[in-house]
Amino acid sequence: MSLMGFLDRIADVSTFDKAIEPARKAVQAVLKPGVLKDALHGTWLGHPLHPVLVQVPVGSWTSAGLLDAVPPLRPAATVLIATGVAVSVPAAMSGAADWSEQEIGVQRLGALHALSNVAALGLYVGSLVARAKGRGTLGRVLSYTGLGIATGSAAIGGHMSYAQSSGASHAATAARALTSDWIDLGPLDDLPEGRPAMRTGDGSGVSVPLAAVRRGARVDVFVGSCSHLAGPLYEGSVEEVRGHACLVCPWHDSAFDLDNGEPRRGPAANPQEKLEVRMEAGRVMARLPARHQ
Ligand code: FES
């Protein structure tokens, strides 16, 4: 069985769901919707924060493993291990914030990913203690064991991103199915004022749902699948969020700026794909931005 197949099997195992749900609720109780949680999601960055932060512990601990192999460089390895331990705390918080808003298959693998990381972190903390007490050999055994577990955990995290699309923009995926031609969305007067309406765009053999928002003579058109988990934005609402007029997703309340699609409230960290719009004889025409053509 391939590694992918093995991890997919784990994502199908429901045995531990009774433990996962309370854990998810506990994370949501500690990290309530608001500025801190959005900061951990990476909403301010327009990109998930977790994969950015994890570069530090992964890079530091891998480098420490190399330096530990060269006796004169071992003090530097200790500094790198301590750096990785320090940054793993905000990295874990951002991962937990994302995990609490994911579907169950991602949560199952995410729970295994988190437990592995806690084990690795414990081993690295133990390694620092051992090194501080002059027990260098034990310190290196603990840190190399931690590196092995952290590497396995990183593989799980990679599967969550690349195979389960956790953190990926679902709107960008939907946008790729659209034709690059101008799409006729019908008369301006048929669009309701101040709330999203569903329109469909031509894809390569499929209809792609779009969300069109009319405000007076202005129309903003977005790919209809939310960048977070593909929720139906055309069933959402228009709200003022943090000083910006936003299209709000009905599934998890992410808010996207009507002007540019930037996320103004999480859990979405990726922007929402926005189409170019022009009017033609009272009809709304929309087209995919050039970056997808
Ligand atoms: S699908 Fe989660 S906020 Fe839209």
Side-chain angles (χ1 to χ4, degrees):
M1 183 189 298
S2 68
L3 176 62
M4 290 267 250
F6 174 68
L7 292 173
D8 279 340
R9 284 271 183 90
I10 294 176
D12 286 336
V13 173
S14 60
T15 312
F16 304 107
D17 287 2
K18 282 188 180 148
I20 288 175
E21 183 55 16
R24 189 183 69 83
K25 284 187 174 156
V27 170
Q28 289 187 330
V30 173
L31 296 175
K32 295 188 188 303
V35 174
L36 173 61
K37 194 171 187 188
D38 283 355
L40 292 170
H41 284 309
T43 304
W44 58 278
L45 187 61
H47 187 286
L49 184 62
H50 182 64
V52 177
L53 289 178
V54 297
Q55 302 307 312
V56 179
V58 169
S60 299
W61 291 344
T62 304
S63 302
L66 293 172
L67 296 186
D68 262 342
V70 185
L73 300 179
R74 284 173 182 162
T78 303
V79 174
L80 286 175
I81 289 172
T83 304
V85 166
V87 179
S88 67
V89 175
M93 288 176 69
S94 68
D98 291 346
W99 174 83
S100 70
E101 306 286 354
Q102 286 290 334
E103 57 199 17
I104 188 64
V106 178
Q107 286 179 1
R108 288 170 186 155
L109 272 186
L112 183 59
H113 179 59
L115 289 173
S116 305
N117 285 339
V118 167
L121 180 60
L123 287 163
Y124 274 112
V125 170
S127 173
L128 287 175
V129 172
R131 288 166 197 250
K133 290 182 175 175
R135 302 180 65 188
T137 302
L138 175 61
R140 288 190 294 283
V141 168
L142 290 173
S143 58
Y144 278 125
T145 308
L147 183 59
I149 294 174
T151 301
S153 182
I156 296 172
H159 188 80
M160 292 166 66
S161 297
Y162 295 116
Q164 296 184 311
S165 299
S166 166
S169 169
H170 294 260
T173 306
R176 287 188 198 101
L178 271 174
T179 173
S180 57
D181 298 330
W182 285 100
I183 305 163
D184 185 350
L185 302 184
L188 171 68
D189 290 343
D190 285 359
L191 286 173
E193 177 69 27
R195 62 183 170 84
M198 182 181 170
R199 293 291 182 269
T200 48
D202 296 331
S204 33
V206 293
S207 290
V208 179
L210 304 172
V213 179
R214 177 186 178 185
R215 291 176 291 166
R218 174 184 174 143
V219 179
D220 297 294
V221 180
F222 296 88
V223 168
S225 302
C226 175
S227 72
H228 177 230
L229 285 182
L233 281 181
Y234 42 85
E235 294 177 5
S237 56
V238 172
E239 294 174 24
E240 178 103 351
V241 176
R242 295 172 184 156
H244 302 269
C246 289
L247 177 56
V248 176
C249 179
W251 280 9
H252 309 105
D253 251 7
S254 288
F256 302 97
D257 197 316
L258 281 172
D259 285 343
N260 51 27
E262 291 292 327
R264 300 298 177 196
R265 182 172 66 205
N270 295 300
Q272 187 61 28
E273 296 292 325
K274 186 172 184 188
L275 279 70
E276 299 169 1
V277 172
R278 68 177 164 88
M279 296 295 164
E280 200 174 292
R283 300 181 74 84
V284 182
M285 310 293 290
R287 185 174 69 173
L288 203 59
R291 64 178 174 275
H292 290 298
Q293 296 170 16

